[in-house]
Amino acid sequence: MPAAKSNGQPQLLFVDGSFEELAREMADYLKAEEAKQLLSKEAPKEEVLSKLVAASQALNTVPEKEYTAASNLMIHLVLQSADPKKHLPTLCNNFSKPLANSPVHGPGLSINALTTVFNLLDQEDPIRARVLMEVLKFLKGQNMFDALRPYLDRLPEWIEVWSTGEEIERKIYDEVAQVALEAGEQEIGYEFILKALRTFDADDKEEITSEEAQKLSLRAVKMAILSNTHFLFQDLRAIPSVQALSDSHPVYSQLLDIFAEQDLEDYNDFNEEHEGWVEQQKLDHEKLHRKMRLLTFASLASATPSREIEYAKIAKALQVPKDDVEMWAIDVIRAGLVEGKLSQQRDTFLVHKVTYRVFGQKQYQELATRVDHWRATLQNVLGVLRQEQANAKAQKEREMQELERKMNNAGVGQSGPGRRQQRERTDNDD
């Protein structure tokens, strides 16, 4: 909504009148008797505002067509306070209650009022962070993630400007994650949970091992391993509070390690060692088992120097019948872990491209082996090309020699007796 500055405070362009006049109008509209009495006694502005803000909860009962004007006037009055942050939390909380008599347009009117408060505050005012929290809570309750989506990229910039501290930053990111998850946006929700985890001070052991940090870390781990689209875990494992799970929740830490870099056989051993634990934690075993097969396929593809894998080898690694290999190959391609082509005639899968789950010493060794294999292949190709080049050169020399021999036999280019006799007859004729 358009805003202007007056005496250092934001103003709504269409609001006109002194504070006393507008406050009296608002008190009459809200039937705020205590505010009226204070105005009649010319009480201090802050006392009047406290009563008006308390009475603003009645705004969710006004006619739909009057809500915007009334809420704008209320916002204007609060922003005349010498310290608006005393009143804004209560006002925003009242705005967060949609119109009772407007089930269709009520949520839209409420979010408009909340965003008006946010937009009229100075961009560097830290109180914007608290208003944003109210906006996020409202969006989560109303499942209105799309209203937030256009502003996600600007959040880090806003938070940096507000300088509200790590705790508020973490709460904002956590709220955004919850709004996204409520809307089914799993990847965005996971991304913001990681942002929230990174706000814990990595050098403060007490902080990264706190109940809040460990609880949030567990949420991130569960989301990551249960996700149908998330297959890489290095970013998660690099976070100090997640690493601290090895002490506070060692079984979860072990499971995360398996999904990060181990195979199906390791997962099966884990289930035998911790029988019933997956079910107790309400983790979907079938989903986890399927995901481990896909990850095992990716590891197999990345560890095969020739990039050609026999069906039998895949079936053994995934612990499935050979007839199911092609189905799993299609699934792993769809997951974006591997690119390749099936050869039914040769019963092999040719790997074109693979995503490395981790890249450590083992992977460097595998890469070195593959580079050596490529070098040997290229040297063989180069040897063949050079031999073919030498053969072609020799063939060309033979052809030139054969052509020269034929020309010599035909007398082309030579001065023999026949040519001299012809010249002598020509001279005698003259």
Side-chain angles (χ1 to χ4, degrees):
M1 181 172 293
K5 294 281 185 178
S6 175
N7 298 325
Q9 293 294 338
Q11 304 285 326
L12 295 172
L13 290 178
F14 53 81
V15 175
D16 188 23
S18 67
F19 175 82
E20 289 73 17
E21 293 171 340
L22 296 174
R24 188 170 288 105
E25 179 182 340
M26 194 78 247
D28 288 338
Y29 185 76
L30 296 174
K31 298 180 174 57
E33 298 300 328
E34 293 182 355
K36 290 181 184 180
Q37 294 176 8
L38 290 173
L39 284 166
S40 64
K41 298 176 182 178
E42 298 183 354
K45 180 189 296 186
E46 298 303 321
E47 294 183 23
V48 174
L49 280 175
S50 295
K51 299 301 181 181
L52 288 176
V53 169
S56 66
Q57 60 184 332
L59 287 173
N60 70 340
T61 63
V62 304
E64 180 182 300
K65 62 182 181 180
E66 298 176 7
Y67 182 85
T68 298
S71 61
N72 284 342
L73 179 55
M74 194 68 241
I75 294 169
H76 171 78
L77 289 170
V78 168
L79 292 181
Q80 307 312 301
S81 169
D83 189 13
K85 68 175 178 288
K86 292 193 307 183
H87 309 291
L88 284 175
T90 301
L91 182 64
C92 289
N93 183 59
N94 290 338
F95 285 162
S96 297
K97 299 177 176 62
L99 281 171
N101 56 0
S102 180
V104 177
H105 300 110
L109 292 171
S110 290
I111 194 60
N112 285 342
L114 289 168
T115 53
T116 297
V117 176
F118 182 83
N119 291 330
L120 287 177
L121 290 168
D122 187 88
Q123 292 187 1
E124 298 183 2
D125 192 338
I127 191 62
R128 289 186 104 200
R130 297 188 64 180
V131 175
L132 179 60
M133 290 289 291
E134 293 297 330
V135 172
L136 293 173
K137 290 177 182 177
F138 179 82
L139 293 176
K140 180 176 66 175
Q142 298 297 321
N143 197 15
M144 295 175 67
F145 176 73
D146 286 340
L148 176 63
R149 192 189 299 271
Y151 306 100
L152 294 179
D153 291 340
R154 300 183 63 185
L155 276 178
E157 176 188 343
W158 287 345
I159 291 171
E160 184 177 358
V161 169
W162 297 335
S163 301
T164 55
E166 294 177 349
E167 184 176 354
I168 297 298
E169 179 181 4
R170 181 161 54 251
K171 287 181 179 179
I172 290 174
Y173 285 146
D174 190 16
E175 283 292 336
V176 172
Q178 292 187 47
V179 177
L181 293 173
E182 286 289 332
E185 297 284 351
Q186 297 292 322
E187 285 301 306
I188 296 177
Y190 178 74
E191 174 191 345
F192 276 89
I193 285 181
L194 292 193
K195 287 181 182 293
L197 284 172
R198 293 188 182 108
T199 63
F200 291 105
D201 187 353
D203 297 325
D204 188 338
K205 185 175 181 180
E206 184 176 347
E207 185 171 325
I208 64 175
T209 58
S210 65
E211 182 179 355
E212 180 186 7
Q214 293 300 281
K215 184 177 179 181
L216 194 58
S217 297
L218 277 180
R219 280 179 57 197
V221 170
K222 291 178 182 178
M223 284 185 64
I225 63 176
L226 288 171
S227 170
N228 292 324
T229 57
H230 196 84
F231 295 97
L232 302 179
F233 303 89
Q234 289 304 94
D235 54 348
L236 179 61
R237 295 171 83 202
I239 297 174
S241 62
V242 175
Q243 295 173 355
L245 290 174
S246 60
D247 293 326
S248 62
H249 297 81
V251 181
Y252 267 107
S253 182
Q254 181 184 357
L255 183 61
L256 177 60
D257 289 342
I258 291 171
F259 273 83
E261 56 184 322
Q262 298 178 29
D263 295 332
L264 180 62
E265 186 175 350
D266 299 296
Y267 176 72
N268 290 338
D269 291 343
F270 170 88
N271 276 323
E272 290 181 7
E273 180 183 357
H274 305 285
E275 186 176 358
W277 182 86
V278 169
E279 290 75 16
Q280 291 173 3
Q281 299 298 313
K282 298 181 179 179
L283 300 174
D284 190 331
H285 170 70
E286 292 301 321
K287 180 180 286 190
L288 298 184
H289 199 260
R290 178 183 182 279
K291 190 168 183 174
M292 278 307 307
R293 280 189 167 134
L294 295 176
L295 292 169
T296 300
F297 199 133
S299 291
L300 182 62
S302 64
T304 303
S306 66
R307 293 299 181 96
E308 192 172 278
I309 318 173
E310 297 176 354
Y311 280 12
K313 191 173 183 180
I314 297 172
K316 182 179 179 181
L318 271 60
Q319 301 177 10
V320 297
K322 186 178 174 182
D323 292 342
D324 292 347
V325 166
E326 292 183 0
M327 177 191 70
W328 284 101
I330 293 171
D331 286 347
V332 80
I333 291 172
R334 285 176 177 169
L337 289 169
V338 179
E339 292 180 13
K341 184 171 65 174
L342 291 162
S343 175
Q344 294 177 332
Q345 292 181 340
R346 299 173 58 190
D347 275 0
T348 60
F349 179 78
L350 181 61
V351 181
H352 295 162
K353 184 179 179 182
V354 63
T355 300
Y356 280 91
R357 295 166 62 190
V358 293
F359 208 89
Q361 184 62 33
K362 179 181 177 182
Q363 287 68 38
Y364 275 113
Q365 292 174 352
E366 290 173 354
L367 180 59
T369 301
R370 186 169 293 114
V371 169
D372 290 339
H373 177 77
W374 291 342
R375 183 188 295 115
T377 301
L378 290 174
Q379 286 175 344
N380 291 336
V381 171
L382 182 59
V384 171
L385 289 175
R386 284 175 175 171
Q387 184 61 48
E388 289 298 320
Q389 186 179 32
N391 293 341
K393 184 178 180 180
Q395 178 64 24
K396 185 176 181 180
E397 290 177 353
R398 289 194 294 270
E399 291 175 353
M400 290 297 295
Q401 291 173 357
E402 179 67 18
L403 178 60
E404 185 177 354
R405 184 185 65 77
K406 289 180 179 179
M407 291 176 67
N408 289 338
N409 291 339
V412 178
Q414 295 183 359
S415 56
R419 186 174 294 276
R420 287 198 298 271
Q421 292 176 4
Q422 184 178 10
R423 284 202 300 269
E424 290 173 356
R425 286 198 299 271
T426 303
D427 292 340
N428 291 336
D429 289 343
D430 292 340

